[in-house]
Amino acid sequence: MSPQTKQVLRVGKAQLDLLEELTNANGVSGNEIEIREIIRKKVAPFADEIKVDGMGNLLVIKHAKKPNAIKVMLDAHMDEVGFMIVEEDGDGLYEFEHVGGGDERQFVSKPVSVGSQKLPGVIGSKPIHLASEDEMNAVISQQGMRIDLGPAGKGKAKRGDYAAYATKFIRSGDAIFAKALDNRLGCATLIELLKTAPEHIELLAAFTVQEEIGLRGAKVAAYDFYPQMAIAVDSTPAFDFERPDGNENTEYNCKLGGGPAIYIADRGTLSDPRLIRFLTQVAEENKINYQYRQPGGGGTDAGALHLTRGGIPSVSVSVPGRYAHTAVMLARISDWQDTLNLLQQALAAWTPEILSGDRA
Amino acid sequence: MKTLLKKLTETASPSGYESAIREVIRAEISSLSTNIKVDALGNLIVTMGKKTDNGLRVMIAAHMDEIGVIVSYVEKTGLVRFSNLGTILPQYLAGSRVVFLNGARGVINHDLPDDLHKIMPLNKHFIDVGATSDKDCLLKIGDVGVIDRSFVDLGKRVSAKSMDDRVACAVMIETMKKIKNNPHELVFVFSTQEEVQCKGATTAAYEIEPDLGIALDVTPSLDILGIKMQVDLGKGPAIKVRDMGMLSDPRVVSWMESTAKKNKIAYQLEVLDVGTTDAKVMQISKAGLPSGALSIPCRYVHSPSEVVDMDDVQATVNLLSALLNNPISL
Ligand SMILES: [Zn+2]
Ligand SMILES: [Zn+2]
């Protein structure tokens, strides 16, 4: 590989339009159908096989053009955190539960979109005028909030209906503001990689369901594909602020502008060291910006992938994003482009020898 | 046996990075079988014998990984912040030494506490590798290390880091040497990533499809974290009845008990309220299988100086050999 290799893939209008469409659509865990249908249409022109499995994962295969090709699985979860309607209190006010790892402190005052009819609503609570001093200092509990659809929403939503944040995609310079960048960024990445799949690998792309509630889709998708190697593509939180006390920020997870975050260790997975070394080498040789995500908690679909059947060497690569699991995330186009290029170059440079030695 | 134990416990191999210990063990057992392989998660799988009509395929697992540390940040001062591989207990850290797989050595301490009586959490600890700044620091994000402590012979008892679970690796190696002709296919697994939720044994059991599963691990002796432990050092191997991850198959428990009695091997019964072993994942692999565990009593588990009794270790070898060298009917 020449050290002058250019960034092959660009994030241009087509890619941003794709991401806009994916993030504006709703796909709360367990109800990923809207996302799945968008992706199915996008990949249809260049996929060799497309199927939906029993859990609702969209499994897409791009065959190798050579026999005995190595099977590489790319995984991106389609689902996002959101809400579920539990009970109507009357007048279009609804009690709700959250679905996935939502942050209760951030629910209040967010516009939401409810059910397949996309009823407009807002998560409401007691206003500041009426709040006691104790209430002012406490986190508002979910029990004190309602999804308010207004009088027009009376009787329109029912128990079990899903609700998602209603935030619309905005691009501002190198920044993208949108809900569900975790993990429509991963979905868009896989779609782009399917287009440019190298001929020497059997590319197995799994757009998975129910990651946010326990990596449930990935588990069965990996069982079906049983590849020789797997990469989970996701978005990982960046908390790269200056600390208010002026001390070094030692727990930032990853940084915006730092390029794709390669996982070494999280709560669910110790990435295969051979794959960490390989991705690092590809990034260095192609002069692609990259960073190691700080080892620690959190997790991705890799937690399910690597334990499948007799074991699958796995790693995660994430696009950094601020404010994960809230109504608005912020990511950078340049980080996404670096992620696309790292993965594309990694697929192109893949050889079976990378896994021929024992795992470290 | 002490020599072997010293060699095994002085090898640095935290969860996910078991290659060093795998090679040490491979050298010990390579003459015992022609069927030795390493799988995708790094498990060392050694098969002895073929399954016959009145035999079983038995998976015996001892984990070769140990708890460790992983670098999460290098400060401008050169001090290194870290996260854990497995359950690191912060109360044992200050003053400990660590050695990294890249050769770097360091000492652990923590930020100034507000309250001297409180145990500082892991993220308030740092490793000092002697660097004067981040520029000359030998470590970067993702480097892994383990506690740096040598084996010490205390006579009847011995102490080392990573007795959990290298003592069981030693038991397994010694037992393998005593395997005689028997009707079973014995699949000995030196498993990986047990300390991060029994991951190696999960995928190994899937591939092996055993008829019976036995895990070998340590079990805490003396009180830990205010929880009363029933098992004592020096009273023989503990036959596990229950832990937080599994209920041993009662048939396996009674088979182990009757074998111990028949061979006049003193044993204890174990009902553990903390932790679990590889037997947890074997039991529920594929369509499920009878599983149990033999535990070696161990003091100060997950501290830099774990202590076991050599008589317990030898008795565990004797019991395991008796279990595996005879027909099994559950
Ligand atoms: Zn995600
Ligand atoms: Zn153990």
Side-chain angles (χ1 to χ4, degrees), chain A residues 77 79 182-183 211-212 234-235 299 325:
Chain A
H77 69 89
D79 62 317
D182 171 14
N183 183 29
E211 188 268 358
E212 299 291 3
D234 208 327
S235 171
H325 291 199

Side-chain angles (χ1 to χ4, degrees), chain A residues 22 35 39 76-78 183-191 207:
Chain A
L22 286 168
I35 313 304
I39 297 171
H77 69 89
M78 299 186 284
N183 183 29
R184 305 298 148 65
L185 272 167
C187 295
T189 302
L190 260 59
I191 294 169
F207 299 88

Side-chain angles (χ1 to χ4, degrees), chain B residues 63 65 164-165 194-195 216-218 276-277 301-302:
Chain B
H63 68 91
D65 62 316
D164 175 9
D165 192 24
E194 190 274 350
E195 297 290 0
L216 306 175
D217 213 322
V218 298
T276 191
T277 73
V301 172
H302 285 208

Side-chain angles (χ1 to χ4, degrees), chain B residues 56 211-214 249-256 259 289-292 323 327-330:
Chain B
L56 298 175
D211 304 312
L212 171 65
I214 303 170
D249 191 305
R251 295 166 297 178
V252 173
V253 174
S254 60
W255 166 58
M256 288 175 168
T259 306
L289 54 129
S291 300
L323 289 166
I328 301 168
S329 77
L330 294 180

Side-chain angles (χ1 to χ4, degrees), chain A residues 223 226 248-252 255 264-265 267-274 276 292-296 303 306-313 358-360, chain B residues 15-19 22-23 26 38-42 70-77 81 83 85 123 140-142 193 196-197 199 202-203 206-207:
Chain A
Y223 185 93
Y226 198 30
E248 261 178 287
N249 180 355
T250 62
E251 294 174 41
Y252 56 88
K255 291 176 180 164
I264 298 169
R267 194 189 60 240
T269 315
L270 302 173
S271 299
D272 193 300
R274 294 167 295 189
I276 299 169
Y292 292 129
R293 176 192 172 273
Q294 285 188 293
H306 80 287
L307 290 180
T308 300
R309 298 205 198 198
I312 300 168
D358 290 350
R359 185 189 157 120
Chain B
S15 307
Y17 298 82
E18 295 90 353
S19 63
R22 186 167 56 231
E23 293 321 305
R26 201 201 294 259
V38 178
D39 72 4
L41 264 68
I70 182 164
V71 174
S72 60
Y73 189 74
V74 180
E75 290 186 5
K76 291 196 181 74
T77 57
R81 301 283 166 172
S83 181
L85 293 171
N123 66 352
K140 61 174 195 318
I141 289 181
Q193 300 192 37
V196 291
Q197 296 160 4
K199 292 189 158 69
T202 303
T203 59
Y206 185 95
E207 281 294 312

Side-chain angles (χ1 to χ4, degrees), chain A residues 304-322:
Chain A
L305 304 178
H306 80 287
L307 290 180
T308 300
R309 298 205 198 198
I312 300 168
S314 303
V315 67
S316 295
V317 175
S318 277
V319 184
R322 288 190 186 145

Side-chain angles (χ1 to χ4, degrees), chain B residues 34-56:
Chain B
T34 50
N35 186 350
I36 299 174
K37 54 183 191 197
V38 178
D39 72 4
L41 264 68
N43 295 299
L44 179 65
I45 300 170
V46 189
T47 305
M48 298 176 77
K50 267 253 165 309
K51 182 172 154 178
T52 62
D53 284 348
N54 54 348
L56 298 175

